[in-house]
Structure formats: structure tokens, C-alpha cells
Amino acid sequence: MSERSVSKSREQKRWYSVLAPEQFDRQELGETLAEEPQQVVGRTITTTLDELTGDSNANNTKLTFKITDVGSDSAYTEFIKYELTRDYLRSLVRRGASKVEASITVLTTDDYRIRVQPVALTTKKADRSQEKAIRRVMIDKVHAAAEERTFEAFVDAIVDGNLSSAIYGDAKEIYPLRRVEVQKLTLEARPREVAAEEEAAVDVDADEVAVDADE
């Protein structure tokens, strides 16, 4: 392609300001270039929490947003992932101590399905039964948080550190802990997707009942 063609193609494109959801005060996340608005939908953008809040202590936290709608010159997003950086997670690990992890899938009160991955770091090496008990606390606390929170409120509880603190408060009674973090949260399905899956499951069950009746 000639330089003139490339230049002309670029002139036909336009920049869209990518905005965070209202939960994050519609802050600008960056810009994206496209010829048509529909080309922007589905794109993702990742930023750090400190860039949104101005808190320099939050530069180890990455947030990912997905563009779901486009206006005249703005692209609107939804939150889809929270994740701690690998370097930060590695810095938490100490030799001779335990690292207890869990991966938990829950449904919030407004029917968002999310996967939550907390991690607890002990001061010294815990035995297997203690690690199991700490993991049980993680699972129970995450389920309890989801049962009483919307998706947005659940995300807030992680970003603010409230869920980590709740896990720490109970788990430290089992074995001394140095730190508890939520290392990752991922949006797996939205309410309409969850409803469609449930409807499909009901249809399958109905078909199986019909087959059994015929037999």
C-alpha cells in the first residue's frame, strides 16, 4: 500500500475517547481509532488502579474494561477484570511460609457470574489441615459477599480491600497470616447470559424427562 493510501485510510478514521463505567466516574481510559463505530465495540483496554484514583500505592492493580457502546466521539465500557501484577504477587511470597489459594465461582444478587481468586500468605509454614481451614474461610467469605452484593458492590468490596480484610479477620484465628489479597476477579457471564444458560438447562432436563417417559 502506498504512503498516500495509508494516509488517506488514516484520515477516514476517527478517535474515540474510551470512558470507564459510572462506577469509576466515567474517567477517560484512553483513546481508540476506528473507521466505523461498530468496529470499536468489543475492544478492551487495561489500566492501573492508581491511574484512576491517583493513589500511587495502587499501581500493582490492573483493571480491564470492555467497550460495549459507542456515541458520537466516546466509547463506553463495562468492567470485566481485576488482577494484581505478577511482580507484586511474587514479592508477597516468602520462603518457609505457606501460600493458600482458592478459585471460587459465585453469582451476585443481580445475577452476574464471577470467578474470584483470593490468596492468603502465612507467616510460617502451616500444615495441610490449617491450609484447608483457611481455604474454607476464603470460600465462605466470598460466597457470603456475593449473596448480599450486586456486581458493582462486589467489585467495590475488592477494590477497597474490604473482602480481603474480612477473610483476614477470620483466617488469622486459624494460623498467623502476613497478608490476604484477591489476586484476580473475572466477569464470566452477565445476567442475560446466565438466564439463557438456565433456560437451556431447563429445556435439556425437560427433554430427558420426555425420553424417560417414552421408555
Side-chain angles (χ1 to χ4, degrees), residues 10-199:
R10 193 172 184 83
E11 287 176 358
Q12 291 174 344
K13 295 181 179 181
R14 62 184 303 176
W15 287 100
Y16 296 87
S17 296
V18 183
L19 305 179
E22 289 184 11
Q23 178 182 6
F24 296 94
D25 300 325
R26 292 289 190 200
Q27 293 191 57
E28 185 171 338
L29 302 172
E31 293 183 313
T32 189
L33 188 65
E35 291 182 2
E36 300 292 339
Q38 60 267 26
Q39 294 175 336
V40 175
V41 176
R43 292 181 183 177
T44 60
I45 186 168
T46 300
T47 188
T48 56
L49 183 58
D50 72 312
E51 290 178 341
L52 287 179
T53 63
D55 180 2
S56 59
N57 294 320
N59 63 344
N60 297 310
T61 303
K62 297 189 296 182
L63 303 176
T64 301
F65 301 87
K66 184 176 182 179
I67 297 173
T68 57
D69 193 19
V70 184
S72 59
D73 57 3
S74 298
Y76 303 97
T77 63
E78 66 173 351
F79 169 85
I80 61 170
K81 186 188 294 184
Y82 167 105
E83 187 175 17
L84 299 181
T85 63
R86 292 181 181 179
D87 287 345
Y88 176 65
L89 288 171
R90 280 197 294 265
S91 74
L92 297 178
V93 179
R94 297 287 187 274
R95 184 175 298 179
S98 295
K99 178 183 179 183
V100 185
E101 299 176 287
S103 183
I104 310 146
T105 300
V106 292
L107 205 63
T108 59
T109 58
D110 50 353
D111 291 336
Y112 282 82
R113 188 171 71 236
I114 54 180
R115 180 175 292 274
V116 187
Q117 295 172 254
V119 58
L121 294 306
T122 64
T123 56
K124 296 181 180 180
K125 184 66 177 177
D127 62 35
R128 185 171 298 180
S129 64
Q130 290 166 331
E131 290 181 357
K132 184 177 180 180
I134 291 171
R135 187 172 293 107
R136 185 72 257 170
V137 169
M138 289 178 174
I139 293 170
D140 290 345
K141 284 295 184 182
V142 169
H143 276 284
E147 288 171 0
E148 61 185 26
R149 288 176 172 85
T150 63
F151 174 60
E152 183 175 315
F154 193 100
V155 171
D156 285 342
I158 289 182
V159 171
D160 296 341
N162 293 334
L163 180 55
S164 297
S165 297
I167 294 172
Y168 181 90
D170 282 8
K172 71 178 182 179
E173 303 299 325
I174 299 168
Y175 195 85
L177 299 178
R178 194 165 54 81
R179 198 165 186 85
V180 172
E181 297 275 10
V182 173
Q183 55 184 329
K184 191 173 183 180
L185 176 150
T186 308
L187 172 61
E188 291 197 337
R190 300 155 189 80
R192 62 181 180 277
E193 296 164 338
V194 171
E197 290 172 1
E198 292 176 349
E199 185 176 343

